[in-house]
Amino acid sequence: MMASQKGTFAGVLLCLVVSMTVALQVSIPQRTYEFARGDNITIPCSFKPKNSINKLVVISWLAEADKPGEPEVSVLTSYSTGELDISDRYEGRASLEQDLAKGVANLKLSSIGLQDNRLFECRVAIPKDDEGQLADTTSLVVLVAPSVPVCKIDGKAEYFQNINLTCQSEEGSPLPTYKWQGYDVRNMPRAPAPRTTDKDGVLSLFNLTMESSGYYVCTSTNKIRSAKCNLTLSVMPPSMALGSTAGIIGGVVVGVLVLLIILIYCCCCRKKKDKAEDYAMGVPEGEEFHDDKPVVNGEVRQTRSKEGDDEDHPPKIVDHRDQYKERSEKDYDDRRSDYDDRRSDYGDRPPKIVDRRDQYKERSEKDYDDRRSDYDDRRSDYDDRRERHDDRRDQDDRYSDRRDRYDRDRVYDERSDGGRYSDRYDEPYDDRDRPPSVPANKPAKPLLL
C-alpha cells in the first residue's frame, strides 16, 4: 500500500512539471541589481510562451509606488504591433530592448538617481496563455556615496555636564554607518570613557572633565566610499561662560560711571554753597572795597539824608579800618601826590577862596550849631578809632603827611562858637605862605600816638 501511494505522488509531480513546460514563464535572473548614481543601466527580463507563434504579445514594466498602499507606477508598455507607451515620469529616460522570437524584454534606464531606488516588475501577457509565471520582480539599488557629514555639539561643554556629539550625512545609498574616534590634546588616539556610547552617529559623553577636551572625528561609510567631519571640544568651568563674564563686567562699568557722576555733582554743589557763604559773611578776601566818591574842595558833606530827620538816627560813619589795612603803600603814595597837587592848586586860586568867605558868612547860626554838634559826634568817633589804630604807630613814614593834616583839622574842630568862621575869614588870607587847609567836611585823621 505504501508503494502505491508513492507512485501516485510521483505521477502528480510529473504532471505538474509537464504542465509548466507547456505554460508561459517570465523570469529575471537576479533578485537585486546595484548601480552607481548617474549610470545608464539595463535590467534583464526573459519569457517563454506556450506557443512559439502568437498574434499578440503585451510586455509591461511597473515600478513600486512612492508610498505603501498606493497603486504601482507604470514605466512603459509595449505591444507586438509596434506601439510603445512610456509614462510622463520616465519620458526620455526609459526604453525597451525586446526580441519576441527570443523572448527578450529588457528595461533600459539612463541617469539613474535616488528616486529609482525601488522594486521593478516585468510582466508579459499573451492571449490564451494565461497559465504559468506571468511576471517577475527585482530590486534596484542606486549606490550614492555619503555626503560630507555635519558634526555638532548638543549641550554645554562645562564641567560635570552631559553632552552629545552628533554626525549626520544628508545623503548616501545604501544608508551610511557612522563611527566616532577621539584624540587627546597631543593628537593621540584614546579609548572612550566607560559610560560613553556611540550609536547611529550620536556620541554621548557623561560627567565631563578636563580630560574630555580634545579632537573628535566622525567617519560616514557605505559601499561606495566614506566621508569625515571633525570638531574640537573645550571643556570649561561654569564661571568661564562668556555671557556671565560679560554681564559682570558691564555691571561694574555702569556702577563706576554712576558713582563718578554723583561725585562730580556733589563737588559742584559744594563749591556753589561755599561761595554763597563767603558772600553772605562779607566782602570776599582779595576783593577791593571802594569808598564813596571823595568830596571836592568847598563842597559841604551832606550829613543828613533829609532835613528834619529824627535826631535818634545819626548819620552812619563808615568804618575805614578794613580799607586802611588792605590798601597798599602805592595807594598812599598816590594820594600824597594828589594832596600836593591840590596844595599848589589852592595857591593859584585865592580869589575863589575869598568868594567862598562871603558864602560862609551867609550861613545861619542854626546851621552852624547843627554842624558843631555833628562834628562833636565825629570827634568822639574819631577818638574811638584812634585807640583802635594804636597798633599802627610802627608803620612807615607814609602816614606822616596825613598826620599833620589831621592835626590841623583837630585844631579847627576845637573852636567853640559859630563865629569862628567869621573870625577866621576876617584875617587876611594869603595861601602862599602856608599850606592849604583841609576842607571842613574832610574827616579828621585819628591821631597816632
Side-chain angles (χ1 to χ4, degrees), residues 294-346:
V295 179
V296 182
N297 264 339
E299 292 186 359
V300 180
R301 180 187 295 269
Q302 185 71 27
T303 58
R304 299 180 186 271
S305 60
K306 186 185 296 186
E307 292 186 3
D309 282 351
D310 192 357
E311 295 182 356
D312 294 337
H313 299 279
K316 295 183 181 179
I317 305 301
V318 179
D319 188 0
H320 297 280
R321 179 180 56 189
D322 296 335
Q323 179 180 1
Y324 290 150
K325 289 182 180 179
E326 294 175 358
R327 290 186 178 179
S328 63
E329 182 177 357
K330 181 178 179 181
D331 184 25
Y332 286 111
D333 293 338
D334 294 339
R335 296 185 63 180
R336 183 186 304 139
S337 62
D338 180 63
Y339 285 124
D340 293 338
D341 295 339
R342 290 186 182 182
R343 185 184 299 114
S344 61
D345 184 48
Y346 283 96

Side-chain angles (χ1 to χ4, degrees), residues 31 60 78 144 246 273 318 337 346 373:
R31 296 296 89 191
S60 302
S78 175
V144 178
K273 184 177 180 181
V318 179
S337 62
Y346 283 96
S373 61

Side-chain angles (χ1 to χ4, degrees), residues 40 75 178 202 224 314 368:
N40 298 326
V75 179
Y178 303 96
V202 179
I224 306 300
Y368 290 126

Side-chain angles (χ1 to χ4, degrees), residues 283-284 286-290 326-327 331:
V283 180
E287 295 189 10
E288 184 178 358
F289 181 83
H290 297 282
E326 294 175 358
R327 290 186 178 179
D331 184 25

Side-chain angles (χ1 to χ4, degrees), residues 255-317:
V256 172
L257 290 177
V258 172
L259 181 60
L260 184 60
I261 292 173
I262 293 174
L263 290 176
I264 294 174
Y265 177 77
C266 292
C267 292
C268 294
C269 292
R270 182 62 181 271
K271 289 182 179 179
K272 291 181 179 178
K273 184 177 180 181
D274 293 343
K275 190 172 182 180
E277 291 178 355
D278 292 341
Y279 278 102
M281 295 181 66
V283 180
E285 185 175 357
E287 295 189 10
E288 184 178 358
F289 181 83
H290 297 282
D291 197 1
D292 293 337
K293 181 179 180 181
V295 179
V296 182
N297 264 339
E299 292 186 359
V300 180
R301 180 187 295 269
Q302 185 71 27
T303 58
R304 299 180 186 271
S305 60
K306 186 185 296 186
E307 292 186 3
D309 282 351
D310 192 357
E311 295 182 356
D312 294 337
H313 299 279
K316 295 183 181 179
I317 305 301

